[in-house]
Structures are given as C-alpha cells and as structure tokens.
Amino acid sequence: MLEPAYQADVVVVGAGVAGLTAAHRLSSAGVTIAVLEAAPCVGGRMSTEKVDGFRLDRIGQLLSTSYPELGRTPGLDALVLRPFAPGVLLHSDGHRRRAGAPAGGGGARGALHAVRALASAPRPAPLPRPLPRPRNGTPRPSSVPRARTGAPLGTPVDQARLGAALTRIAHTPVERLLSRPEAPAALALAARGVPARTIDGFLRPLLAALLCDPDLTTSSRCADLALHSFASGRLCLPEGGAEVLPELLARTLPPGTVRTGVRVTSVATNSVTTAEHGEFRCRAVLVATDARSAAELLPGLRVPDFHPVTVVHHATDEPPETGAALLLDADRGGPVAHTAVVSRVDPSRAPEGRALVSSTVLGTPPADLDTAVRTHLARLYGTSTARWETLAVHHTAEAVPAMRPPHDLRRPVRLLAGLYVCGDHRDTGTVQGALHSGRRASAAILADLGAAGSMHAAEQLRSAA
C-alpha cells in the first residue's frame, strides 16, 4: 500500500515508454518523480507474453535502427536491436522477391543498388509446391489494382525510379519532409508520379507494416517519415521482446519511483486522486496514458481514430526457409499483412529447437481467424501449416492512433502550467513518436518548474524541437 501523503515534484500517470522517458529525464535533472501505473507491470501496449519458453509480443511493433530517439533516450544504452534481413520479401503472384533498402555499409545508396539489381534480375522460380487457393478463402479486394505477373514493382524503369526515390528520401532532412504539402499518403504518392503498380506492389504493403494502415489514409508527412526511417536504417526487433524497452527505462529510475497497480481517477495541476491509494500532492502532473484514458482524465482532449491490430503467434519444428526476412503480401490475398519467423531475427524468442512465426492482421479480423491465417500463411511461405501450433492470438482494437491529414506531429504537450500530456497520440503513432513526445513533455516541465536551471531547460527545449 502507498502512503496517501506521498509527495513528489511531478506525478506521471502511466508507465508506457512515453511516461518512462519523461520520468527518466526529469529524474536526471534532479526532479523527484512518482510514476503511477494501473496495470500490474510497466510498458502499456509494449508487452510480451511468455508461453512455454516463447516470448510473444502483443502488438509486434517494428522498430528501425535509424530511430533517433533510441540513441537519445537515457536508459536505453543496454537495448539490443536484432535487425531483419535487409529490405523485405514481397509475395506476389505466387513468387517471392526481395526489395528495399539495405542498411549498414550500403545505406541509402545500397537501396538504389538493390532495386536496380532487382530490375535486371531474371524471373524467379515459383515457390516450392504452391498450394491452391481455397474456395472459401478470403477474397482479394476488387478495388485494389494488381501488379502485372512477374513485376510486383512495375517495369525496370519504375524500379529504378523507386530506388532513386528511396535514396533521395534517406538524404532529405526531416524538416524538409515536414514542410511538404500534406495529403493522404495514397494521393500524395500518385501525385508525385509513382506508378500504381509500384504503390500497390511495394509501398502499400511496406507502409502497412510500418504504420498499420493498408489503405494509405495516413498523412503523407507521416508516411514520408516512415519511408525515411526505412531507407536510412534496418527494421529490427528488441532482443527479448517488446517489454524489454520499457523495463530498461523503469530499471534506471530511483527505487520506488514506479508504483504499479495504482489507478488514477482524476488529475489537477497540483495533485492526482487514486481509486484505492489516496491523493498524491505534487507541483505538476504529466498524463502519459493511451489517448482514450488520457481523455477520460482530461475532458476535451481529442481522441483519434485507431487502427486495430491482431497478432497471431505459431510454433513449429520446421520453420519456412525465409531466414530473418519480413515477408509482405503485395496481393492482399488474405488476412495477413506481414509475417516473419521472428525467432530467426531474435533467437531468444523461442526455445531451442523450435521456431516462432508471428503474423499481423490489420483491420477487423475474419470470423474464423486461425483457419484463414493458416491458409494464407501456407500460400505465403509455400509450405503446409497444418501442424503448426497456435500459441496465442492478441487482438488490440485501439493499437495504433490514426494519423490522417491534417495531422499535427507536434501536438502541444503543455495544456496549462502544471498539467501536461504525452504519448504516441501527441506525435506519431510509433515507438519513435512516443519516445519523442516524452522528451518534449519533460522539456516543457523543466522549463516551467525551473528545477534544473534555465540553461539546462533551454538545452532540453532545443533538443526536443
């Protein structure tokens, strides 16, 4: 039980990555912090379930080695990122092709070489023993144009243009990307002259994996930021599961800072009231929950729409031969948007001798989800999935905040003196956005409290801009 008279300079409501990031920065500046979390553990949506030696992420967020906040956030020095194979695998018309931007030594220039190599490559062989499409399978949406057989990225000229575009966007400053005219991503890409086959054969499945928005209704500025990260780095997963990131942040805070199982019922500029643990008096309050919970505590706060996400985890003793690649379905021929043998990316996620296949379904899942997913995965991987074991199905209705235009990527974190808010709904609906909003909130609080001196606060404000 907590002491009702406990006092702190700042009370942070919510122990997700945004709130923990802000708490760490405030604590490092000499501000006393109390982090109150209603759940029994930290992390929010970045949680990992353990089943028979497997580590199963609830949402399965993809990170990028190029996310600036992963390097800027104190407490994440020990975070180990496990990269996917360079680029992605695209499944289209019964074939798999590698495409995208390799990182490391190649960087954005390597992206151009990769796509040019794809343009000149011979037609790949069909997948081994392709399975027939079942009569009761999920139909392909009639409104989605399909790429010409053997050319999921369009003509060789289209592919070369795509490689050049990836190279350009990797070298374009973020400020310039954010100054571009804003429109839904699908319209913006078409207006830039990107061929429809390239959009539907590569960019749509890629952005669906990055933003959970297969219809490309997301703001073009957010889509540009996602493509910038993809072209500049490598897609990756945190070693040990998504929960490792918030746990590292919580571990570096002073003992007793984070209190789990404490449900906050109301907030003010100088106190918070809890359901069973009395009142916490403070100098400032930071609401760092999800968007809907934040709006319940802060009436009038806008609640965005959300993209639902369902993650299906399977175990197998005979994993598909796709290595550590992220496999995307360019045809949208079933419920699975993307899938991977994640234990090939991060071996710690499966016990020795077994493999973990994690697959993501976007939007409303079909009624017979497991059967539909197994049927689709059999086509994508070119192998039978009948003997795969279903470990867990995680459905999150409000997984990712929608970022339709006009979208303010820097929504205010300071509501009034003493009351602040942060989270991915104040920035971009990504882990990068959550971390960045936490940094912006801590900078605003330090500036208002003057706790660490004007010079330190000014430096925080400049770095958060």
Side-chain angles (χ1 to χ4, degrees):
M1 295 292 291
L2 300 180
E3 293 293 335
Y6 182 90
Q7 295 182 355
D9 290 325
V10 179
V11 172
V12 178
V13 183
V17 293
L20 291 171
T21 297
H24 193 287
R25 290 181 174 276
L26 292 169
S27 179
S28 299
V31 177
T32 58
I33 303 295
V35 180
L36 308 182
E37 170 58 53
C41 57
V42 302
R45 284 164 290 164
M46 292 198 73
S47 61
T48 303
E49 182 183 8
K50 285 86 169 177
V51 177
D52 297 333
F54 292 91
R55 294 175 174 267
L56 315 176
D57 284 354
R58 175 161 294 278
I59 296 181
Q61 294 103 326
L62 298 173
L63 306 184
S64 173
T65 57
S66 63
Y67 277 176
E69 294 299 324
L70 293 177
R72 293 174 182 168
T73 303
L76 294 184
D77 299 343
L79 181 66
V80 178
L81 297 177
R82 293 288 185 175
F84 285 87
V88 294
L89 275 182
L90 290 171
H91 182 276
S92 178
D93 291 302
H95 301 84
R96 289 192 298 257
R97 299 167 181 267
R98 186 172 298 280
R109 184 175 299 174
L112 180 58
H113 295 327
V115 180
R116 282 178 174 168
L118 181 63
S120 59
R123 178 187 175 92
L127 294 175
R129 295 178 286 105
L131 300 180
R133 184 179 184 138
R135 293 180 180 178
N136 61 348
T138 303
R140 178 183 291 111
S142 59
S143 60
V144 179
R146 292 186 56 207
R148 179 167 51 87
T149 300
L153 297 182
T155 66
V157 173
D158 295 336
Q159 296 165 29
R161 287 174 177 169
L162 174 62
L166 289 174
T167 301
R168 286 196 303 272
I169 201 167
H171 289 289
T172 302
V174 170
E175 295 77 11
R176 188 177 302 172
L177 294 177
L178 298 182
S179 67
R180 287 179 170 181
E182 187 181 22
L187 296 180
L189 291 170
R192 295 171 192 171
V194 181
R197 287 181 302 201
T198 303
I199 294 175
D200 288 294
F202 177 67
L203 293 176
R204 185 184 299 275
L206 175 63
L207 289 171
L210 301 179
L211 302 173
C212 300
D213 177 21
D215 296 324
L216 298 187
T217 60
T218 295
S219 163
S220 56
R221 294 173 181 171
C222 298
D224 284 344
L225 290 178
L227 292 174
H228 176 84
S229 295
F230 174 78
S232 304
R234 285 268 285 278
L235 297 179
C236 58
L237 298 172
E239 184 180 73
E243 69 176 10
V244 171
L245 195 153
E247 286 181 349
L248 284 174
L249 292 171
R251 199 176 302 159
T252 56
L253 292 170
T257 298
V258 180
R259 313 293 181 95
T260 57
V262 181
R263 184 169 63 89
V264 173
T265 57
S266 65
V267 298
T269 57
N270 58 359
S271 68
V272 301
T273 303
T274 67
E276 299 175 346
H277 300 86
E279 183 182 21
F280 286 71
R281 292 182 288 119
C282 55
R283 298 172 61 194
V285 175
L286 171 60
V287 177
T289 64
D290 62 89
R292 190 169 300 280
S293 299
E296 292 174 358
L297 294 173
L298 303 167
L301 197 70
R302 174 183 174 272
V303 179
D305 294 330
F306 296 90
H307 297 302
V309 173
T310 305
V311 181
V312 183
H313 299 282
H314 289 105
T316 176
D317 297 330
E318 299 178 355
E321 296 300 325
T322 53
L326 182 67
L327 176 58
L328 314 180
D329 182 20
D331 289 339
R332 302 175 79 182
V336 176
H338 59 274
T339 180
V341 185
V342 295
S343 55
R344 291 278 177 85
V345 183
D346 176 13
S348 72
R349 298 190 180 220
E352 186 174 356
R354 306 208 70 192
L356 173 63
V357 180
S358 297
S359 309
T360 298
V361 175
L362 302 177
T364 303
D368 192 358
L369 177 64
D370 189 63
T371 299
V373 167
R374 285 175 181 270
T375 301
H376 195 189
L377 291 177
R379 293 199 302 273
L380 293 177
Y381 285 112
T383 187
S384 173
T385 59
R387 299 180 63 182
W388 288 14
E389 175 189 356
T390 302
L391 296 172
V393 177
H394 295 147
H395 176 70
T396 307
E398 297 185 348
V400 179
M403 299 176 286
R404 300 186 181 96
H407 180 76
D408 184 359
L409 285 88
R410 299 294 182 265
R411 285 197 171 98
V413 292
R414 181 186 186 273
L415 302 182
L416 50 92
L419 195 56
Y420 309 83
V421 60
C422 68
D424 57 3
H425 53 96
R426 310 307 292 175
D427 214 282
T428 61
T430 61
V431 175
Q432 160 72 13
L435 294 171
H436 190 258
S437 75
R439 182 156 65 97
R440 290 198 295 129
S442 65
I445 294 171
L446 286 175
D448 286 351
L449 293 182
S454 58
M455 183 177 297
H456 182 85
E459 188 278 330
Q460 288 271 21
L461 284 171
R462 283 194 300 269
S463 64

